[in-house]
Amino acid sequence: MGIKYAIEAADIEGAAGPALYAAELLLYRAQYGETVHRLADTEQAAALAIKARNARRSWHGDSVEATIVAVKARRLGGKIGQTRALIEPKPVGEAWPHEAADPRLRREKAELLAATGQYDQARTLAAEIGSPFVVAEIEAVVLTSTAEDSVAAAAWQVALDAAESDSDILMAVRGLAHTGGELPDLTDMEQQHPRMVAEIRTIHRAMGAGAERSKPCAPAPPNTLCSR
């Protein structure tokens, strides 16, 4: 289904599934597709994901899944304050208590903390979550912003070794690319995620050519951009 038809389907009142699907398509296009309206795509993706979140809340469905898409869209659009509001529990933010306590959303919070320079809080939260990959990921993000490339690359390799999913692998490999580390064989991953792998290889070539990395900006998750 194309984005146009997905958006039309999402207009149906209470259609949480189509709204979330359309949000995911827009988010992917904003990051990897050919669009001249990247910010508009991220805004629409966030709005549709929030619509899906609210609909799922009404029947006690998985509102966290939709919230995460909204979080990624807000981060991609550089809306850090709005991103934080989606993650933090009421009354500070919008998240319901069970959403804020969900490990998936807590991971998003840890990533946001690390990306915005709140390293101690990010490390503490990652340790509380208890996922070996998240702990390694957050440490690698911190070192990417604070240490030499070789040190950061070693940390991303540790994260890659602890990866539990394709998205974890893409995150770690992207970090290796940003820090000039050695990339693993991506042949199988390329069949499933061709545009993401192409971007990773482009970054790796640029870093190998001597491009300088901006220290305050760590590699972002596959569906996000680094925000300053």
Side-chain angles (χ1 to χ4, degrees), residues 12-122:
I12 301 172
E13 184 66 27
L20 183 56
Y21 179 64
E24 291 171 335
L25 290 178
L26 285 164
L27 181 58
Y28 188 88
R29 184 174 74 177
Q31 177 69 358
Y32 300 105
E34 295 181 2
T35 177
V36 295
H37 304 294
R38 170 183 276 186
L39 291 179
D41 282 351
T42 62
E43 285 295 316
Q44 189 171 15
L48 287 168
I50 290 170
K51 176 182 178 180
R53 178 202 67 182
N54 294 342
R56 288 185 173 188
R57 280 176 172 177
S58 69
W59 44 269
H60 305 290
D62 186 3
S63 55
V64 172
E65 181 184 23
T67 300
I68 288 172
V69 176
V71 166
K72 293 183 183 301
R74 291 296 194 207
R75 280 193 65 187
L76 180 57
K79 303 295 181 61
I80 299 303
Q82 294 179 25
T83 302
R84 187 172 288 111
L86 291 168
I87 294 171
E88 296 291 348
K90 295 181 176 182
V92 176
E94 303 174 15
W96 285 7
H98 77 276
E99 294 169 346
D102 190 289
R104 293 170 294 171
L105 202 56
R106 297 183 81 203
R107 172 176 173 172
E108 295 293 329
K109 181 176 180 178
E111 291 176 351
L112 182 64
L113 287 168
T116 54
Q118 300 174 76
Y119 303 137
D120 290 342
Q121 298 96 314

Side-chain angles (χ1 to χ4, degrees), residues 1 46 55 57 68 145 168 208:
M1 183 188 296
R57 280 176 172 177
I68 288 172
S145 295
D168 290 349

Side-chain angles (χ1 to χ4, degrees), residues 87-227:
I87 294 171
E88 296 291 348
K90 295 181 176 182
V92 176
E94 303 174 15
W96 285 7
H98 77 276
E99 294 169 346
D102 190 289
R104 293 170 294 171
L105 202 56
R106 297 183 81 203
R107 172 176 173 172
E108 295 293 329
K109 181 176 180 178
E111 291 176 351
L112 182 64
L113 287 168
T116 54
Q118 300 174 76
Y119 303 137
D120 290 342
Q121 298 96 314
R123 283 168 164 149
T124 298
L125 182 53
E128 291 175 359
I129 293 170
S131 163
F133 176 77
V134 174
V135 171
E137 171 205 0
I138 295 303
E139 187 63 23
V141 170
V142 172
L143 291 175
T144 299
S145 295
T146 61
E148 295 298 320
D149 281 347
S150 59
V151 175
W156 282 114
Q157 183 61 55
V158 172
L160 178 60
D161 293 341
E164 301 172 352
S165 65
D166 281 4
S167 62
D168 290 349
I169 292 171
L170 288 166
M171 162 77 80
V173 173
R174 185 183 176 94
L176 284 169
H178 272 282
T179 54
E182 182 177 352
L183 300 185
D185 183 357
L186 297 173
T187 303
D188 291 340
M189 192 65 64
E190 189 171 21
Q191 294 178 1
Q192 298 295 321
H193 308 280
R195 288 182 175 175
M196 295 182 188
V197 171
E199 182 185 71
I200 287 168
R201 285 181 168 149
T202 298
I203 293 169
H204 192 248
R205 284 194 297 270
M207 296 307 297
E212 293 197 6
R213 172 167 56 86
S214 176
K215 281 290 183 182
C217 190
N223 284 330
T224 64
L225 292 180
C226 183
S227 300

